Amino acid sequence: MLKYHFDWSIVTSGKYFDWLVSGLKITLELSFVSIVLAFLLGLLVAVLRMSPLRPVRLVAMAYLEFFRNTPLLVQIFFWYFGSYKILPTAVNDWLNSTNFEFAAAAIALSIYTSAFIAEDLRSGILSIPKEQMEAARSAGFSFLRSMQYVILPQAVRITVPPLVNQFLNLAKNSSLAMTIGVAELTYQARQVESYSFKGFEAFTAATLVYLALSVAITWLVHVYDRRVLNPLRTG
Amino acid sequence: MIEFRGVHKWFKKLHVLNDINLKVQAGEVVVVCGPSGSGKSTLIRTINQLEPIGEGTLVVDGMDLADKKTDINKLRAEVGFVFQQFNLYPHLSVLANITLAPIKIRNTPRKEAEQQALALLERVGLAEKRDAYPTQLSGGQQQRVAIARALAMKPRIMLFDEPTSALDPEMIGEVLDVMLKLAKSGMTMVVVTHEMGFAREVAGRVVFMDHGVILEEAPPEQFFKQPKHERAQQFLKQLLSPMH
């Protein structure tokens, strides 16, 4: 016999609703900042990974293997509990005066995801015919500028679908930030549950919000792709 | 303008350029021909160092390519290169293909670069295609845009690597026409091609290569009438009647 009384009103209005909204706000901020950083870092590492200089390539490879092959949660803990121990006191004081939890989570999410983005971009870069690089180089562009103006714009365009996957992963992984006390959506849902004992409602609401967020990201990238990146693409 | 002195190049063990000695004067048009695998494409690609040379000396526009201090990007900006497969930038419009290098490398203001690009498009007969994308153009049109793109840098030398080999026969004429006009305007050109009509009309010299060696170097009339080397004779015979 089911004794649980559903009460959806607690997550659609009132104090708990406000908590969830404030959690969503932080999830959005964290995801947005980290997606931008992860993409830029991913671009950089993908290009370095293909540098004509061997030592540069090796450093980029080490970065990729290191951050792809360690758990995100460990990386979050490392930045939050570990990194500041080796920093000078002045830097620490400054960090403590800021929102260090948020910063540590954003750094961990960005770096972790950048490794996957870099690999996706690399396969995009490799799929561009080598003659494109030759055409750019023969016009007088350096390797980096050829990448910037000719190769990357094409590689990013064809990497859009896997990039969406990485952005979605990042947005969902941002829930791990609750473990270091970032008051994002999952953290707030947990709070609602602790105070109201309405775990089903709280986490159903959180689930639906994550789902909506993912659909929104997919749709935004799709629109950008169609309007700006690949207006000629069909299908 | 271009001088090869004792140039060698190897791909692994394959000796692709064997003791190349060749001089191209300013304003001269030199046609390079030979069977496939003869090293003619490699030869032309060494001139802007898309292929580095192995041994010997190669001086282009006063710059020694073997010298580590030579700024290769600066040299390439002075040397236009036209590829067999056109290699236009597919993500950019025709106009942007042409203006990219002048704007980013020569720091030409956008307005001015676009005006020059339009003048060049006019010259190759494609002014109405300024906003098209490369995939929307025929092969012949793409190649003419590629020539305009190379000319936009105001190069001192133009290199053509089999510019008509990837084209349908009915489009070869429109590209050769542009090249003829360019040759007659006094541009220094090295052209790898089998278009012997083009060679006859504007080439100062024809260079015949086989197995990485320059076997013959002669003015076109002489080369076509009495090729000295046996392999050149065979090559010309096959070119004129490919069924035999």
Side-chain angles (χ1 to χ4, degrees):
Chain A
M1 177 90 182
L2 189 67
K3 293 226 178 101
Y4 189 78
H5 294 284
F6 291 99
D7 181 3
W8 293 104
S9 68
I10 66 150
V11 291
T12 53
S13 61
K15 176 173 73 171
Y16 299 139
F17 172 77
D18 294 342
W19 288 4
L20 290 176
V21 169
S22 82
L24 171 62
K25 236 185 90 196
I26 292 181
T27 290
L28 285 175
E29 280 169 18
L30 184 58
S31 300
F32 179 76
V33 169
S34 305
I35 282 176
V36 172
L37 281 177
F39 180 67
L40 295 177
L41 266 174
L43 272 179
L44 179 70
V45 177
V47 170
L48 297 183
R49 173 75 182 74
M50 313 210 75
S51 159
L53 305 171
R54 200 175 133 82
V56 176
R57 276 204 306 274
L58 288 177
V59 169
M61 276 165 78
Y63 177 98
L64 286 171
E65 295 308 332
F66 189 82
F67 289 108
R68 266 199 317 169
N69 295 318
T70 47
L72 174 57
L73 190 55
V74 173
Q75 291 185 32
I76 290 176
F77 285 166
F78 173 80
W79 294 111
Y80 186 61
F81 296 115
S83 68
Y84 72 93
K85 306 238 154 144
I86 56 165
L87 295 173
T89 331
V91 179
N92 262 318
D93 289 345
W94 177 76
L95 282 174
N96 284 327
S97 71
T98 64
N99 190 345
F100 184 47
E101 295 81 22
F102 184 92
I107 289 169
L109 281 167
S110 308
I111 292 182
Y112 175 79
T113 313
S114 74
F116 293 91
I117 288 179
E119 281 298 87
D120 287 340
L121 285 172
R122 189 168 82 96
S123 59
I125 292 169
L126 285 174
S127 72
I128 305 299
K130 69 175 193 338
E131 287 79 10
Q132 286 292 311
M133 180 55 96
E134 282 187 351
R137 295 305 303 268
S138 71
F141 286 114
S142 66
F143 171 79
L144 285 179
R145 296 192 116 211
S146 302
M147 277 285 178
Q148 183 187 351
Y149 298 126
V150 175
I151 306 300
L152 285 179
Q154 296 182 56
V156 169
R157 279 169 170 79
I158 58 171
T159 314
V160 166
L163 282 180
V164 171
N165 276 338
Q166 301 306 345
F167 294 168
L168 294 180
N169 279 338
L170 190 153
K172 290 176 292 178
N173 286 339
S174 73
S175 60
L176 288 174
M178 74 168 286
T179 58
I180 55 170
V182 178
E184 47 70 67
L185 184 57
T186 309
Y187 180 98
Q188 294 292 11
R190 185 102 177 71
Q191 289 283 97
V192 171
E193 193 269 336
S194 308
Y195 279 76
S196 66
F197 303 107
K198 293 289 177 196
F200 189 85
E201 290 86 339
F203 284 105
T204 302
T207 302
L208 292 177
V209 173
Y210 277 116
L211 188 63
L213 175 61
S214 295
V215 171
I217 290 174
T218 309
W219 180 76
L220 279 175
V221 177
H222 177 79
V223 168
Y224 185 68
D225 183 36
R226 280 302 158 94
R227 296 261 169 87
V228 184
L229 290 180
N230 291 300
L232 298 177
R233 175 146 80 192
T234 51
Chain B
M1 205 71 168
I2 305 170
E3 187 174 1
F4 289 81
R5 280 198 301 269
V7 169
H8 291 261
K9 180 178 175 64
W10 292 265
F11 286 136
K12 301 260 165 69
K13 288 227 167 116
L14 192 65
H15 204 164
V16 283
L17 293 180
N18 187 348
D19 193 27
I20 301 293
N21 291 284
L22 181 67
K23 258 191 184 177
V24 180
Q25 308 293 342
E28 204 180 0
V29 176
V30 171
V31 163
V32 183
C33 63
S36 73
S38 59
K40 55 195 191 301
S41 276
T42 309
L43 177 85
I44 199 171
R45 286 163 62 89
T46 58
I47 299 174
N48 72 348
Q49 221 181 71
L50 282 178
E51 302 285 353
I53 61 171
E55 248 173 49
T57 313
L58 174 52
V59 181
V60 179
D61 197 20
M63 292 186 244
D64 181 352
L65 294 203
D67 188 345
K68 287 230 156 55
K69 274 175 275 171
T70 298
D71 181 350
I72 191 65
N73 295 327
K74 213 173 147 194
L75 168 83
R76 285 172 175 157
E78 305 300 331
V79 180
F81 199 100
V82 176
F83 297 86
Q84 183 176 350
Q85 297 292 344
F86 337 129
N87 300 342
L88 293 178
Y89 310 132
H91 61 300
L92 298 179
S93 70
V94 163
L95 197 66
N97 260 279
I98 300 173
T99 56
L100 182 69
I103 291 173
K104 302 296 183 187
I105 295 174
R106 297 260 195 253
N107 295 317
T108 311
R110 177 172 300 272
K111 265 261 162 60
E112 197 183 320
E114 286 180 352
Q115 274 163 12
Q116 287 168 3
L118 285 176
L120 284 166
L121 279 176
E122 200 83 52
R123 205 164 136 191
V124 300
L126 289 171
E128 79 284 1
K129 297 289 185 192
R130 52 174 286 178
D131 295 318
Y133 281 81
T135 48
Q136 299 168 320
L137 302 180
S138 72
Q141 291 171 332
Q142 288 191 52
Q143 193 61 297
R144 285 186 281 155
V145 172
I147 294 172
R149 176 177 70 175
L151 290 175
M153 290 295 278
K154 304 197 172 82
R156 295 165 57 77
I157 301 170
M158 283 286 283
L159 307 175
F160 295 81
D161 187 7
E162 303 207 37
T164 57
S165 302
L167 296 176
D168 291 338
E170 74 269 23
M171 291 170 183
I172 292 176
E174 62 193 59
V175 171
L176 286 180
D177 203 43
V178 168
M179 291 170 61
L180 276 175
K181 279 192 226 153
L182 188 61
K184 285 177 179 160
S185 75
M187 175 66 78
T188 309
M189 291 164 67
V190 179
V191 185
V192 173
T193 186
H194 292 160
E195 292 298 331
M196 294 304 145
F198 174 82
R200 265 207 189 89
E201 190 147 351
V202 288
R205 262 177 306 151
V206 176
V207 171
F208 177 75
M209 284 182 77
D210 196 16
H211 295 298
V213 182
I214 292 182
L215 289 181
E216 198 157 338
E217 199 185 323
E221 315 86 68
Q222 192 184 325
F223 177 75
F224 291 120
K225 273 201 193 120
Q226 310 149 311
K228 272 185 241 126
H229 205 281
E230 192 195 335
R231 284 225 284 283
Q233 291 164 10
Q234 276 173 4
F235 174 77
L236 282 173
K237 217 165 106 190
Q238 279 185 341
L239 205 62
L240 296 174
S241 55
M243 300 299 279
H244 299 286

